[in-house]
Amino acid sequence: MFISLAIALPFIIAALIPLIYKHIRQWHLGWFVLAVPVALFMFFIRFIQPVATGKVFTSTYAWIPSFNINFVTYLDGLSLIFVLLITGVGSLVTLYSIFYLSEKESLHHFYCYLLLFMGAMLGVVLSDNLMVLYAFWELTSVSSFLLIAFWHHRKASRAGARKAMVITVLGGISMLAGFLMLAQMADSFSVREIAAMTLTNEALFIPAMLCILLGAFTKSAQFPFHIWLPDAMEAPTPVSAYLHSATMVKAGIYLVARLSPVFGGSAVWFWVITVIGLITLFWGSFNAVRQTDLKALLAYSTVSQLGLIMSLFGVGSMAYYFGYADEHLIYTQATFAALFHLINHSTFKGALFMMVGIVDHEVGTRDIRRLGGLMAMMPVTFTIAMAGSLSMAGLPPFNGFLSKEMFFSAMLTIKNVDVFALSSIGILLPVIAWVASVFTFIYSVILVTKTFFGKFKPERLDKRPHEAPFGMLISPLILSLSMLLIFFFPNVLAQYILSPAMRSMYHEAPIEKIVPHITPWHFNTELMMTVGVILIGLLLYKYLPKWRRVYQIFTRERSFNALYDASIQKAEQWSDHVTMRYMTGNLTHYFMYIYVCFVTLVSGYFIIAGTFSYDATINAPIANYEWIMVFVIIFAAFYILFAKQRMTAVLLNSVIGYVIAFLFVVFRAPDLALTQLVVESITTVLFLVCFRYLPDLQAGKKRSKRARKWHGLIAIATGATVTMIGLAVLNYDKFAPISSYFDDALNLAGGANIVNTILGDFRAFDTMLEVVVLFIAGLGVYTLTKLKPKKGAAKDENQ
Amino acid sequence: METVMLVVVGILVMVATYLILSRQVLKVILGTAILSHAAHVLILTLGGLKKGNVPLIDDSDGPYTDALPQALILTAIVISFAVTAFVLVLAFRTYRMNGTDDFEALRGNIDD
């Protein structure tokens, strides 16, 4: 119950912001918003203790029960990690944003979107129902779009926002298809229930898995969908730190972790996740080295780290294949490392983004070609950068070192396995991991040295750099401190945060065995690999200008960005082309679509369903004078088609109207006859008055012969269809008529004329609205005849 | 009688459709007028023709002919009158502003 409220809180506050922001002008709006993540963080901290003892918390709120879609929240160890990251990093980012964004920005928009995101993200990680999860998932995409485009006057912001939106929503739709297949197989929308089933032999197992993975990969910026993340760096830096490194991009990882019990143990799942993860890891780190913009460097670094975590979950899925015998427990260590690195990445990447934001804010640029020698001017910022970079590169004494070592040992273990055809190419996995780590080391070095060491270049800077205000430094300092604390006390984190998450991923495993004891100081092969990374990394960094030429092979024309641009351009052209084909602006064409659809749908249905029936026995007899009237109508109708004079056409229309009035008399409808006579007379007069001003029928251009043929065909088909409907309905007797009710009009309404009582009493409200319609039409007529266009209006119309 | 009237309705609809598809505003308006005639006759016919007496309780005894379609048509006649009047004046105004009543010319093109 309270958990649902916790999800709702950010949404409620987001809705309130437009109302209150005017009244708290003397305060930065961020102070008010800060209360939300802090309160939520405090709230969720209380769950650590019970969740660590194995408890889970659920609540259900019926949403669309008939479709089995309910708002079910489910808080277990895995959710708790993400919830704490969302609210914890959310608090720090909000605090940081107060100093980063000046009050001149449209803060109410910014914080509204930010809260929207926070609520949506909490929804993603706390929902048990697949459909609800999907809804929140897309909401995170939308809020990310809004936040990237926050400075919407910049073209790059808009383009980046669109790219992120297109790619993540594309994956989202595929994920929806995957969810539906999954629900089809399991006959349930509940993740918990699905996780407890065995679906491996279902036909849809692999398609559902691949569809869902596409969603997870686009969201978590895995190769080759990573291209949106660097462009998303157009967002304000607090957003980059929050959405695009610490939380939203980990939604895909969350999904993979959450669904591992369902899909884990299959070869496809293992290979796709591990290989895509490793490619992403390498490609991200390789490209980060060539960046000159600090934020772009961090973006590629995030891509690479996400790939690392992803590949660890791939390796960890081996545990589902082998079971939990003592000799196989080693595979669960990969999952443990993934969860551990997930937290570590949020701490050091969050701190680094904030550091870059500070540099950008105080120096005025993020371009490493203009930066340098800032160490003396910004000592605190430099300390943060040092801590973050060392942790990112995987060096002690920071938390990144620990999880990086565990990553190495996972990759070393998996190379010896001989299932899933691993024995032949297994050795590649640790090699790729090691090479990627070398590049990670290089870009970490670049990040620090190019910004803080080297020559200070004041002539290239717009501002005189100085240390940031204290408020801005609080958040990254807290994160840096936590990096140190995790390094020295990793087992506290393991016991209270990581082991419950492990429990929710491996339900059947003995929990005390799958949570390792982390030793900060150790000596083994992994440490040797790290030493190798440092030595080779330093060497490569020294000779960077010599081998930089490698990057010239990968030009923009050959990148996935070019592919994306081309497909967007082609799609726009194509859609333009198709739309222009049928949206001609010609009324006749639109009428034709309507008629053709009407004819094909209705007569098509009659033919397919075979429902047409006709019975002539109930027909009333026809008198001779009635035949005459019928033929007059038919003659007049046909003659209109050939009328040369507008006067003839109008009068023929009146003839039809008057004869119908007489038919009303014959058909026992005196009121209709009277009304029809009056209306027909007025209409005729109106036509004649207007004709004074309108051109003659012959003045306009005739349709072409071909058009006439087609229009004639459509006209005949439409007429025939209407007659057919009428004939089929004539004998319809499934429901008894309700008209006999009105025969008692004298008692019910006190009127002898039944038609009048229906209009004036039984259906009086309808009649009143009909009068309103008449009144509006009258107003329209009056306006059109009386009002003169303003001067210049005619010119406007021609523009 | 019903069958014959339904054929008449079909012919009216056909003529109306052909007029509505033409290029001249005026013919389109005439087409809509004829289309509403057709609709009125259709509704009345489907309620059954000459199945009872005039629905005036004072003047005749039951069974009365179905009064509900008549009430519907009465509403429809008035509304179609309002629409015809409005569209006529609109056409008049369009012609005065643009100097043409040809849809092909009225649609303009994107470059304008």
Side-chain angles (χ1 to χ4, degrees):
Chain A
M1 180 61 211
F2 286 112
I3 298 175
S4 315
L5 274 181
I7 300 174
L9 181 72
F11 291 113
I12 296 167
I13 303 295
L16 286 178
I17 281 182
L19 302 175
I20 54 162
Y21 89 97
K22 282 199 181 110
H23 302 290
I24 49 170
R25 271 287 156 83
Q26 65 273 37
W27 288 83
H28 194 285
L29 188 60
W31 290 112
F32 173 77
V33 173
L34 181 61
V36 178
V38 170
L40 287 175
F41 186 67
M42 299 295 186
F43 171 75
F44 282 113
I45 284 242
R46 290 175 31 248
F47 286 94
I48 292 178
Q49 182 62 34
V51 167
T53 61
K55 270 176 105 175
V56 294
F57 297 84
T58 60
S59 72
T60 304
Y61 172 76
W63 184 23
I64 318 172
S66 52
F67 282 123
N68 210 2
I69 295 174
N70 293 311
F71 196 86
V72 183
T73 60
Y74 178 65
L75 178 72
D76 64 353
L78 186 60
S79 302
L80 194 62
I81 289 188
F82 283 89
V83 164
L84 291 177
L85 280 181
I86 296 163
T87 52
V89 179
S91 308
L92 296 176
V93 162
T94 313
L95 176 68
Y96 175 79
S97 71
I98 294 171
F99 299 93
Y100 185 83
L101 288 172
S102 86
E103 293 187 38
K104 287 180 205 121
E105 310 269 8
S106 48
L107 291 175
H108 51 299
H109 289 146
F110 179 81
Y111 286 112
C112 197
Y113 304 154
L114 201 72
L115 287 171
L116 205 65
F117 166 76
M118 204 180 284
M121 194 65 206
L122 284 174
V124 167
V125 298
L126 286 171
S127 297
D128 180 54
N129 191 294
L130 285 176
M131 290 299 113
V132 179
L133 193 157
Y134 170 74
F136 280 123
W137 180 281
E138 293 296 30
L139 196 54
T140 60
S141 293
V142 172
S143 48
S144 155
F145 169 83
L146 291 169
L147 283 167
I148 297 170
F150 177 63
W151 286 316
H152 49 75
H153 52 274
R154 295 186 192 166
K155 193 164 175 263
S157 289
R158 296 195 302 271
R162 184 171 79 162
K163 198 178 207 173
M165 185 81 166
V166 167
I167 292 178
T168 53
V169 169
L170 202 72
I173 288 170
S174 144
M175 190 183 84
L176 177 64
F179 279 176
L180 290 174
M181 285 188 239
L182 197 58
Q184 175 80 24
M185 286 188 284
D187 196 26
S188 163
F189 280 120
S190 163
V191 178
R192 257 177 314 155
E193 286 172 20
I194 293 172
M197 295 178 196
T198 313
L199 303 169
T200 328
N201 298 322
E202 300 276 346
L204 287 175
F205 184 72
I206 300 288
M209 177 203 293
L210 294 178
C211 282
I212 293 174
L213 279 182
L214 189 65
F217 286 168
T218 48
K219 195 76 161 180
S220 284
Q222 298 295 297
F223 184 87
F225 307 109
H226 64 280
I227 51 169
W228 70 265
L229 194 58
D231 286 12
M233 292 301 129
E234 293 297 329
T237 302
V239 174
S240 310
Y242 189 34
L243 272 72
H244 304 125
S245 78
T247 54
M248 190 186 82
V249 288
K250 296 207 172 95
I253 286 168
Y254 167 78
L255 196 70
V256 166
R258 187 49 98 193
L259 294 178
S260 281
V262 183
F263 296 115
S266 105
V268 181
W269 179 263
F270 168 79
W271 276 116
V272 171
I273 295 181
T274 312
V275 169
I276 294 284
L278 282 176
I279 294 176
T280 312
L281 165 66
F282 169 74
W283 191 247
S285 60
F286 179 66
N287 274 293
V289 174
R290 77 193 288 195
Q291 303 304 319
T292 50
D293 178 0
L294 284 179
K295 268 182 94 174
L297 187 149
L298 285 183
Y300 276 104
S301 146
T302 305
V303 167
S304 145
Q305 303 278 337
L306 290 171
L308 187 155
I309 300 172
M310 201 59 104
S311 68
L312 279 173
F313 275 114
V315 172
S317 76
M318 255 329 183
Y320 296 102
Y321 181 82
F322 282 111
Y324 307 109
D326 280 358
E327 68 270 26
H328 296 314
L329 279 178
I330 188 77
Y331 305 115
T332 58
Q333 303 312 299
T335 306
F336 183 85
L339 294 167
F340 190 27
H341 196 70
L342 184 89
I343 297 173
N344 295 343
H345 177 248
S346 294
T347 54
F348 66 70
K349 195 53 67 65
L352 285 176
F353 264 115
M354 289 179 189
M355 179 278 289
V356 168
I358 290 171
V359 170
D360 191 12
H361 202 260
E362 305 305 332
V363 182
T365 181
R366 308 189 302 249
D367 193 331
I368 53 175
R369 287 165 299 193
R370 294 165 67 190
L371 291 169
L374 294 174
M375 184 167 50
M377 275 156 270
M378 306 173 84
V380 184
T381 314
F382 167 68
T383 314
I384 295 164
M386 241 358 232
S389 302
L390 287 178
S391 185
M392 182 160 73
L395 301 182
F398 295 100
N399 54 3
F401 171 67
L402 299 177
S403 44
K404 187 68 144 263
E405 299 279 278
M406 294 175 81
F407 166 64
F408 281 153
S409 43
M411 288 302 157
L412 285 173
T413 320
I414 203 73
K415 80 170 199 300
N416 300 324
V417 181
D418 61 352
V419 293
F420 302 160
L422 255 173
S423 49
S424 48
I425 53 167
I427 185 69
L428 277 179
L429 303 184
V431 170
I432 297 174
W434 185 80
V435 172
S437 300
V438 172
F439 282 106
T440 306
F441 181 82
I442 299 172
Y443 70 69
S444 301
V445 174
I446 292 176
L447 182 68
V448 177
T449 50
K450 299 279 183 191
T451 314
F452 295 99
F453 292 95
K455 225 176 118 254
F456 179 50
K457 307 160 197 159
E459 72 281 357
R460 295 195 183 176
L461 302 177
D462 306 329
K463 291 187 195 176
R464 227 194 101 65
H466 53 83
E467 187 58 272
F470 178 65
M472 220 167 173
L473 294 167
I474 301 174
S475 297
L477 278 177
I478 292 175
L479 286 172
S480 307
L481 198 65
S482 65
M483 286 182 245
L484 269 177
L485 284 178
I486 292 175
F487 176 81
F488 287 108
F489 309 102
N491 294 304
V492 179
L493 189 79
Q495 191 189 342
Y496 285 99
I497 307 283
L498 296 174
S499 84
M502 290 296 279
R503 198 200 313 260
S504 47
M505 287 199 63
Y506 302 107
H507 295 285
E508 293 134 31
I511 190 71
E512 62 286 351
K513 283 189 189 165
I514 60 171
V515 176
H517 186 79
I518 311 170
T519 42
W521 308 107
H522 50 253
F523 187 79
N524 49 18
T525 326
E526 291 85 341
L527 189 67
M528 293 317 294
M529 284 170 82
T530 302
V531 172
V533 164
I534 298 171
L535 292 178
I536 304 290
L538 282 175
L539 214 67
L540 280 176
Y541 174 72
K542 190 152 186 282
Y543 295 106
L544 181 61
K546 290 228 170 19
W547 57 272
R548 225 199 161 99
R549 241 177 280 132
V550 177
Y551 288 108
Q552 286 167 6
I553 304 167
F554 306 98
T555 54
R556 199 179 153 87
E557 291 78 49
R558 288 182 211 164
S559 67
F560 286 99
N561 275 312
L563 185 70
Y564 167 85
D565 290 341
S567 28
I568 288 288
Q569 203 192 350
K570 276 275 173 297
E572 277 180 354
Q573 274 175 7
W574 187 73
S575 126
D576 249 17
H577 185 69
V578 171
T579 313
M580 295 315 269
R581 284 291 293 257
Y582 70 92
M583 297 303 286
T584 53
N586 190 336
L587 193 67
T588 314
H589 292 162
Y590 301 149
F591 275 132
M592 276 167 73
Y593 307 147
I594 296 173
Y595 281 118
V596 170
C597 285
F598 168 74
V599 169
T600 44
L601 288 179
V602 174
S603 17
Y605 182 75
F606 269 128
I607 291 166
I608 290 168
T611 46
F612 183 75
S613 70
Y614 170 59
D615 177 18
T617 48
I618 58 151
N619 274 358
I622 311 175
N624 281 338
Y625 63 94
E626 289 166 355
W627 278 117
I628 297 173
M629 291 194 219
V630 165
F631 282 120
V632 170
I633 293 178
I634 294 175
F635 173 78
F638 273 114
Y639 200 80
I640 286 182
L641 295 179
F642 305 103
K644 293 274 184 288
Q645 303 289 321
R646 52 192 171 166
M647 190 66 91
T648 326
V650 172
L651 289 180
L652 283 170
N653 178 45
S654 311
V655 167
I656 296 174
Y658 285 123
V659 177
I660 286 174
F662 286 119
L663 275 174
F664 284 154
V665 175
V666 177
F667 296 150
R668 322 270 197 271
D671 291 301
L672 293 191
L674 283 173
T675 318
Q676 176 78 2
L677 279 175
V678 173
V679 165
E680 203 53 50
S681 309
I682 301 175
T683 311
T684 308
V685 172
L686 210 63
F687 263 112
L688 293 176
V689 169
C690 276
F691 278 14
R692 252 185 67 107
Y693 302 101
L694 284 174
D696 202 355
L697 287 182
Q698 282 164 324
K701 278 187 202 149
K702 276 266 159 57
R703 320 175 227 205
S704 68
K705 210 167 186 180
R706 194 158 149 272
R708 280 213 297 274
K709 201 174 80 193
W710 278 106
H711 293 172
L713 221 65
I714 291 173
I716 291 168
T718 311
T721 307
V722 171
T723 305
M724 200 167 66
I725 298 173
L727 290 176
V729 172
L730 208 53
N731 298 322
Y732 189 78
D733 54 359
K734 295 282 188 294
F735 299 101
I738 58 168
S739 306
S740 53
Y741 170 79
F742 300 110
D743 289 353
D744 199 17
L746 201 56
N747 290 327
L748 290 171
N753 184 331
I754 300 178
V755 177
N756 280 3
T757 54
I758 293 175
L759 288 174
D761 195 295
F762 296 113
R763 311 287 309 154
F765 200 60
D766 284 357
T767 311
M768 195 191 83
L769 292 179
E770 183 199 337
V771 174
V772 173
V773 172
L774 266 185
F775 178 71
I776 293 171
L779 265 182
V781 169
Y782 178 81
T783 317
L784 282 173
T785 44
K786 284 290 172 200
L787 289 186
K788 295 268 179 289
K790 280 183 196 147
K791 264 188 185 168
K795 201 169 120 248
D796 287 345
E797 278 178 18
N798 290 332
Q799 273 173 356
Chain B
M1 185 84 224
E2 278 89 341
T3 312
V4 174
M5 289 316 292
L6 286 173
V7 172
V8 172
V9 167
I11 290 170
L12 287 179
V13 169
M14 187 189 81
V15 171
T17 306
Y18 191 76
L19 287 174
I20 285 174
L21 288 174
S22 78
R23 285 170 62 166
Q24 262 187 296
V25 177
L26 210 92
K27 284 192 176 173
V28 175
I29 299 171
L30 269 175
T32 55
I34 293 172
L35 196 62
S36 46
H37 286 319
H40 303 157
V41 177
L42 179 69
I43 296 172
L44 196 70
T45 310
L46 292 182
L49 296 176
K50 302 199 273 189
K51 289 283 186 296
N53 285 322
V54 178
L56 297 173
I57 296 170
D58 287 347
D59 296 353
S60 57
D61 296 326
Y64 302 110
T65 191
D66 198 338
L68 198 57
Q70 296 190 15
L72 292 177
I73 295 166
L74 204 61
T75 312
I77 290 175
V78 176
I79 297 277
S80 67
F81 165 68
V83 172
T84 308
F86 180 76
V87 175
L88 261 178
V89 178
L90 189 66
F92 155 71
R93 191 61 189 243
T94 311
Y95 179 66
R96 287 284 289 268
M97 298 292 290
N98 297 291
T100 176
D101 73 334
D102 187 345
F103 278 122
E104 195 66 31
L106 280 175
R107 82 188 212 191
N109 58 56
I110 300 159
D111 305 328
D112 287 346

